[in-house]
Amino acid sequence: MRPRKLRGLALPLLLLLLLQPPPSSAHSSTHFDPTWESLDARQLPAWFDQAKFGIFIHWGVFSVPSFGSEWFWWYWQKEKIPKYVEFMKDNYPPSFKYEDFGPLFTAKFFNANQWADIFQASGAKYIVLTSKHHEGFTLWGSEYSWNWNAIDEGPKRDIVKELEVAIRNRTDLRFGLYYSLFEWFHPLFLEDESSSFHKRQFPVSKTLPELYELVNNYQPEVLWSDGDGGAPDQYWNSTGFLAWLYNESPVRDTVVTNDRWGAGSICKHGGFYTCSDRYNPGHLLPHKWENCMTIDKLSWGYRREAGISDYLTIGELVKQLVETVSCGGNLLMNIGPTLDGTISVVFEERLRQMGSWLKVNGEAIYETHTWRSQNDTVTPDVWYTFKPKEKLVYAIFLKWPTSGQLFLGQPKAILGATEVKLLGHGQPLNWISLEQNGIMVELPQLTVRQMPCKWGWALALTNVI
């Protein structure tokens, strides 16, 4: 990476900044102390659980080589994995360095309004953009990332601001940002690491100032932390920052955070749990969680060498959404734009297909709760959601039975009160109670064109127990 000058504040002033975060005009009614015990007791803002579905966007300088993985720099320079080394030998001169990709990250065709319209059409309720990945390049003009940010290099544009404005002006989605705490090759982080993190130069002069800058300037309602670099949360002062975020920041009442705030915090501390990438336990969890996963099975960033079989089908994506929501999670589905700033047609198609499915079946997804059973015991690939106030249970089935009869082992019908409808069809369906437990529903005889959707269907069951 090009030599970086640390702009602006000297170390003592940065320490002062750390101790006295930017003030806010008002305070939340509940005060949180900078301890996990206090922070973990914060109630997650209700909008997040109601939203159920978000879009993850991995975009950065790694989108220029767009080969193998968004971890390209690490695999090429640190691990020296042969396919990455050979790729560079075959395509770039011997003197080419990773930072030379920076000017090639042009975002020439990036149109934030177009992105916002695609995200709106997907049915998602929030987005999360990688404001900075482990390579350290910031998609905004960070005061603390001299010559390695989207204003000084590459796009020469504030990508974060353009997308924030488009999302808030054109959609009903919440705007969120991913931020990597550490950077693979930043000299201050490497020096701190060599001291077993007794030194704290990097978080004081880089990470924490950038986090305050991001929150104050762009007001993300999801702050998705990642990349602890093996350092504990005390090194990052995560609890101090989160106490400010929840008590003083401009998004203190609506912001949600995840669980990646230092070594050992994942699946244990923070807001919602992610536990691991592509986490989908298939059973109910006691804590709110999110399944962050990728349409491209092998990478978060865009890959030029990806084949059609490397992408999950819309049927597979609908299954992920249904399973996740039935078990109390949110689905955060990732796309990787190109270096030019375009969303490739395969990603756009998947997003629009998901939106068309949710137009029919969103009632069974958004603002639902988990039911007493997450999936059916008689018929495979049937998952349940619940709206207690409306006395509605939704049975989402992923395979249409050839017999036209759907056997459900979990719902118990109430004679004279239970009603069954197929979402997108609307007419009450006939059903009979089974001898032991459950019901058998007579599905309507529909042609393919008459089907309300193609990749999974939902029954609304009123008054079942």
Side-chain angles (χ1 to χ4, degrees):
M1 187 176 290
R2 292 188 176 104
R4 300 184 197 169
K5 298 175 185 175
L6 292 174
R7 269 193 196 169
L9 301 176
L11 198 58
L13 280 177
L14 283 165
L15 285 167
L16 186 62
L17 171 69
L18 185 59
L19 294 170
Q20 296 180 318
S24 170
S25 58
H27 293 261
S28 298
S29 56
T30 305
H31 179 81
F32 297 96
D33 297 323
T35 65
W36 284 124
E37 183 181 13
S38 178
L39 297 168
D40 290 345
R42 178 182 183 252
Q43 191 170 356
L44 204 67
W47 75 262
F48 184 74
D49 180 57
Q50 293 166 359
K52 305 301 183 189
F53 176 45
I55 303 298
F56 216 169
I57 308 147
H58 271 67
W59 198 33
V61 172
F62 52 80
S63 306
V64 179
S66 53
F67 177 81
S69 168
E70 72 289 347
W71 280 53
F72 183 93
W73 193 4
W74 181 263
Y75 292 154
W76 168 42
Q77 292 283 8
K78 182 68 176 180
E79 295 194 6
K80 302 188 188 306
I81 293 175
K83 80 169 186 176
Y84 293 89
V85 174
E86 290 301 317
F87 175 84
M88 291 304 297
K89 277 184 183 176
D90 293 343
N91 295 285
Y92 298 92
S95 60
F96 197 94
K97 297 180 172 58
Y98 188 82
E99 56 263 41
D100 295 324
F101 284 125
L104 304 178
F105 179 49
T106 62
K108 183 178 180 180
F109 301 120
F110 171 59
N111 183 326
N113 289 340
Q114 188 178 50
W115 282 27
D117 292 347
I118 293 170
F119 299 149
Q120 179 76 42
S122 76
K125 297 301 182 185
Y126 61 103
I127 66 154
V128 178
L129 171 70
T130 52
S131 67
K132 185 197 78 168
H133 202 257
H134 311 323
E135 65 188 11
F137 188 90
T138 66
L139 295 188
W140 80 101
S142 168
E143 287 292 318
Y144 309 94
S145 189
W146 181 80
N147 210 28
W148 195 236
N149 66 74
I151 295 289
D152 293 341
E153 190 78 280
K156 305 291 177 71
R157 299 160 67 177
D158 188 338
I159 300 294
V160 174
K161 174 55 72 175
E162 288 185 37
L163 190 57
E164 180 221 344
V165 169
I167 290 293
R168 289 185 165 142
N169 286 351
R170 299 174 71 91
T171 78
D172 60 0
L173 280 73
R174 307 270 182 159
F175 179 72
L177 292 172
Y178 163 109
Y179 180 85
S180 173
L181 298 176
F182 90 128
E183 296 171 23
W184 286 316
F185 301 113
H186 195 293
L188 291 182
F189 177 77
L190 295 176
E191 192 176 329
D192 288 353
E193 185 181 40
S194 69
S195 76
S196 300
F197 301 114
H198 293 300
K199 291 182 180 179
R200 297 185 60 248
Q201 302 169 92
F202 182 70
V204 168
S205 62
K206 184 70 161 63
T207 302
L208 289 159
E210 281 189 341
L211 281 169
Y212 290 125
E213 188 177 53
L214 273 179
V215 172
N216 282 310
N217 291 349
Y218 306 104
Q219 302 189 16
E221 292 184 277
V222 182
L223 190 57
W224 216 101
S225 177
D226 191 27
D228 58 46
D233 66 83
Q234 295 91 340
Y235 169 78
W236 300 111
N237 191 26
S238 297
T239 55
F241 170 74
L242 289 173
W244 170 80
L245 185 71
Y246 296 164
N247 291 325
E248 301 288 340
S249 82
V251 288
R252 60 193 174 277
D253 294 326
T254 57
V255 70
V256 296
T257 62
N258 64 340
D259 55 351
R260 303 185 182 196
W261 293 99
S265 74
I266 194 167
C267 220
K268 184 177 180 183
H269 294 302
F272 59 89
Y273 290 171
T274 62
C275 299
S276 66
D277 291 349
R278 302 178 180 86
Y279 183 67
N280 188 12
H283 59 81
L284 186 63
L285 295 184
H287 192 95
K288 183 63 188 180
W289 61 282
E290 182 183 69
N291 174 7
C292 62
M293 47 73 67
T294 57
I295 297 176
D296 177 349
K297 301 171 192 174
L298 302 177
S299 176
W300 298 82
Y302 179 73
R303 292 188 305 133
R304 288 179 286 175
E305 81 277 20
I308 192 66
S309 62
D310 291 333
Y311 297 102
L312 292 174
T313 66
I314 184 58
E316 291 169 324
L317 293 170
V318 166
K319 182 177 181 180
Q320 286 267 330
L321 175 66
V322 170
E323 289 177 356
T324 298
V325 172
S326 294
C327 295
N330 280 18
L331 187 74
L332 187 63
M333 191 169 81
N334 179 75
I335 62 165
T338 68
L339 69 91
D340 296 319
T342 60
I343 295 172
S344 68
V345 290
V346 68
F347 287 134
E348 181 175 351
E349 181 188 51
R350 295 293 186 274
L351 294 178
R352 292 188 182 277
Q353 286 173 326
M354 186 66 89
S356 69
W357 188 85
L358 283 164
K359 273 188 178 177
V360 176
N361 300 291
E363 177 187 329
I365 298 294
Y366 305 125
E367 300 184 25
T368 58
H369 299 260
T370 56
W371 195 42
R372 59 174 174 79
S373 295
Q374 279 61 66
N375 59 321
D376 199 64
T377 50
V378 172
T379 303
D381 288 321
V382 176
W383 296 83
Y384 293 104
T385 60
F386 182 39
K387 286 185 176 174
K389 287 182 182 177
E390 295 85 350
K391 297 181 179 178
L392 277 169
V393 172
Y394 296 95
I396 307 170
F397 57 106
L398 302 174
K399 294 176 184 174
W400 191 280
T402 54
S403 67
Q405 298 177 332
L406 183 65
F407 291 84
L408 301 175
Q410 285 302 313
K412 298 176 184 177
I414 302 170
L415 196 61
T418 296
E419 187 175 81
V420 181
K421 288 184 179 179
L422 177 69
L423 295 189
H425 179 254
Q427 300 300 315
L429 305 181
N430 294 325
W431 57 269
I432 58 171
S433 288
L434 301 177
E435 282 187 16
Q436 298 296 322
N437 279 315
I439 62 174
M440 184 276 288
V441 178
E442 288 278 0
L443 297 174
Q445 295 182 348
L446 303 174
T447 65
V448 172
R449 288 181 175 233
Q450 291 172 326
M451 287 280 188
C453 52
K454 300 177 185 176
W455 313 289
W457 304 266
L459 295 178
L461 312 172
T462 309
N463 295 317
V464 294
I465 55 175

